[in-house]
Amino acid sequence: MDAKVETNAAAGDGKPVLPPGHDPYHHLHDEAYAAPFSEARVGWRDLISVAGRRLESLDGTWNFVLDLHDEGLRQRWFEDAPDPIGGWTTPRDYDDGAWQTTTVPSCWNVMRPEWTYFEGGAWYTREVTVAPGRAGERVFLRVGAANYEARVFLNGVFIGSHRGGSTPFFIELTGHLAAGANRLQINVDNRRRPERVPMNHTDWFNYGGLYREVGLLRVPAVFIRDFGVALVPGSQGRRIAIDVTLSEPTSGTARLRIDGLAEEIAIPVAAGVGRITFDAAPELWSPARPKLYPVRLTFGEDEVADAVGFREIRVEGQRILLNGEDIFLRGICVHEDDRDLGKVSTEADIRRRFADAKALNANFLRLSHYPHHELAARIADEVGLLLWEEVPVYWAIDFANPDTFADADNQLREMIRRDRNRASIVIWGVGNENADTDARLAFMSGLAASCREMDPTRLVSAACLINREHFRVEDRLSEALDVIGLNEYFGWYEPSFDGLKRLFANSDLDKPLVITETGADAVAGREGRPGELFGETHQSDLYERQLDLVESAPYVRGFCPWILYDFRTERRQTAYQRGWNLKGLIAADKTTRKKAFTTLSERYSELAQQQTPAGA
Ligand code: GCU
């Protein structure tokens, strides 16, 4: 093949002669092609608080092309000048995708039928013009989430990467921007791999793409990177702690104002960090009374603003206390999944989710199995719902792999950094249904320690499994948790409820237990006989039996069945399911309620009557 290339010069045909030694086919033989693009990886330390800030949206139409074999990375498409195909003198395999486009944010799987099951790399390309800003201004690209790994290129130069499919990231553009139009390319790879978090086997659909908002953030040379506003644990709601972290190790004074609580609090900042506490008597936030206070924090030219609720969550023996009052978590699990939008969450979708939870008389949601859109916790603050948020440390994670731990730990810290000022979040979840091995114990205990380091104001839990050897709620990880989560499917995967009775009789816990999953599939509209699988009658009866037994166990302080809506998963291929998990209380149309919805709503209404005001 090479001989042909050498004779071009002899032919004098005016076509470019490749420099000696240049092998145009080198990319066929280099399987280490991706390594350079996993460098310059950003993570939780690079996050910037967007509270009260204006982002310049880059949402809308982008050029788009699928790239199953990562040709763009192998052949370095991003270095090709974006000249039109008609002007080329050597052939290429990519033309900026101008011949097809897609919308950001979106999941490519729901944009075209031929893209439904695509797992691989894809390229998003658009022009970005950044108007000149203030002297010393810094410009960052913010991506709300890209599933799973993203690589960013500006004007043909690789400038950073991120991994983790449900948390935001920032890549600095300052210094890479040209006056006028810039060419921004983002490569997104949604492949499931054994060493990723989640790994390659999950019971939810693997959507891909830039599926949350993308924008530009301008900040002054020294800016507020992160700040925290919360009650001091153990202060009986009478003392507030403020911490601030700047972008630079600068010293000075930050100034805080909390309307109705604190006119102006000076926060000394030394080497880029500051923390103070002060006495205050805020009206405490709760689901029944979701009081939020406007907060404004400034340092130099920079300002952030937020609306913050003040509440305390803690455990005492087998009880969970919200603002000092015993609370029972009347919950429901929910995925980010929509028949039409995939994993995209709009404000309307989130508000519907929470309205349906309120219609259930729920006071709690488990946002499964990954960090949801940041709007979810913000709206839960507003409408008064308690949340469990978790990282997708799901099933058979590569627990012995240090790089897998680094990935999971970064996703966890990104989640906490992003949402730490949301009163609605009361529990951080560090995993789901993981076999009890030494490697898993070390891995998840490490994550629990990271939770406490990042945020001492919330509880830590995980959705654990039954200890089959002793047939009781027992997991070595419990030592690292404040609340034990338990997934059990008596009445479904294990038909007899005798197992649940035996489990509760065998178990002796010194801390609260929350049933973090139980349920049954039911085809909406298919009543079925009592005991008939996939019928609404069976699903409803299961909820009745579960609650009868759960209410008999004093250490069960929460019930969070699986799940609010039917959702996509390729694992479910029976005639009834056809690629959907039907354990929803509402069908995939997010409108058709099943009989079990009414059953649970009535049972939760009774439980709510027994609840003291805080948790009502
Ligand atoms: C598991 C798992 C869920 C799954 C559910 C089910 O508990 O945590 O992600 O969808 O069971 O079997 O429906």
Side-chain angles (χ1 to χ4, degrees), residues 202-204 335 366 368-369 390 394-395 432-433 463 465 487-489 492-493 516-519 521 562-563 567 569 571-572 577 581-583:
T202 65
D203 191 34
W204 70 87
H335 259 306
R366 180 185 169 201
S368 321
H369 281 296
E390 66 188 60
Y394 182 93
W395 289 356
N432 182 80
E433 291 195 352
L465 292 168
N487 291 0
E488 49 85 4
Y489 279 89
W492 184 251
Y493 296 119
T516 36
E517 282 188 37
T518 191
D521 283 66
W562 190 257
I563 189 168
F567 62 94
T569 172
R571 287 181 71 237
R572 311 291 179 161
Q577 294 162 307
N581 184 311
L582 303 179
K583 292 188 183 68

Side-chain angles (χ1 to χ4, degrees), residues 225-501:
R225 181 175 291 284
D226 178 54
F227 71 101
V229 185
L231 284 178
V232 174
S235 67
Q236 283 77 45
R238 288 290 181 271
R239 194 153 181 82
I240 290 175
I242 310 291
D243 67 79
V244 58
T245 302
L246 302 182
S247 58
E248 317 301 324
T250 306
S251 298
T253 302
R255 299 192 183 286
L256 172 86
R257 173 191 172 84
I258 306 180
D259 291 0
L261 269 187
E263 281 310 307
E264 175 151 309
I265 301 269
I267 305 163
V269 175
V273 292
R275 183 181 191 277
I276 60 146
T277 63
F278 61 95
D279 290 336
E283 179 185 333
L284 299 183
W285 183 95
S286 71
R289 297 175 59 82
K291 169 72 176 173
L292 298 177
Y293 286 88
V295 171
R296 192 166 65 88
L297 179 68
T298 59
F299 183 88
E301 297 171 47
D302 198 21
E303 176 177 311
V304 288
D306 209 338
V308 175
F310 296 97
R311 57 100 189 93
E312 182 188 61
I313 190 78
R314 62 188 175 87
V315 295
E316 194 173 86
Q318 298 175 345
R319 301 187 306 152
I320 298 174
L321 303 179
L322 176 67
N323 301 329
E325 293 184 29
D326 191 1
I327 184 170
F328 185 89
L329 301 176
R330 305 187 307 275
I332 188 72
C333 295
V334 64
H335 259 306
E336 268 190 335
D337 184 87
D338 186 85
R339 187 180 52 184
D340 305 317
L341 300 173
K343 201 172 183 287
V344 169
S345 278
T346 61
E347 178 168 354
D349 186 52
I350 294 169
R351 289 190 180 279
R352 170 175 52 194
R353 201 180 297 174
F354 292 163
D356 286 331
K358 289 272 188 180
L360 269 179
N361 295 306
N363 61 6
F364 176 69
L365 287 102
R366 180 185 169 201
L367 304 186
S368 321
H369 281 296
Y370 35 73
H372 286 208
H373 194 291
E374 60 261 32
L375 257 183
R378 193 165 288 285
I379 294 171
D381 279 7
E382 178 196 318
V383 303
L385 284 164
L386 299 164
L387 300 179
W388 159 312
E389 254 199 329
E390 66 188 60
V391 284
V393 176
Y394 182 93
W395 289 356
I397 293 289
D398 189 359
F399 288 116
N401 183 334
D403 190 46
T404 300
F405 178 79
D407 187 354
D409 193 57
N410 180 64
Q411 292 185 46
L412 177 78
R413 291 171 183 266
E414 286 178 337
M415 174 178 73
I416 294 173
R417 258 286 166 100
R418 185 194 71 178
D419 291 345
R420 58 188 289 231
N421 290 325
R422 305 278 69 80
S424 50
I425 300 171
V426 290
I427 297 176
W428 300 120
V430 296
N432 182 80
E433 291 195 352
N434 316 100
D436 185 355
T437 64
D438 292 347
R440 170 261 190 175
L441 182 61
F443 189 105
M444 293 176 70
S445 301
L447 294 181
S450 294
C451 286
R452 300 187 196 289
E453 176 200 323
M454 294 287 283
D455 173 22
T457 71
R458 288 180 177 85
L459 304 177
V460 180
S461 188
C464 303
L465 292 168
I466 294 168
N467 179 310
R468 293 286 166 180
E469 184 186 346
H470 303 134
F471 208 82
R472 60 179 177 227
V473 179
E474 186 180 66
D475 188 317
R476 292 184 292 167
L477 182 63
S478 304
E479 276 308 301
L481 307 177
D482 298 301
V483 173
I484 302 171
L486 181 73
N487 291 0
E488 49 85 4
Y489 279 89
F490 293 100
W492 184 251
Y493 296 119
E494 299 180 73
S496 168
F497 286 95
D498 291 346
L500 190 53
K501 291 177 196 164

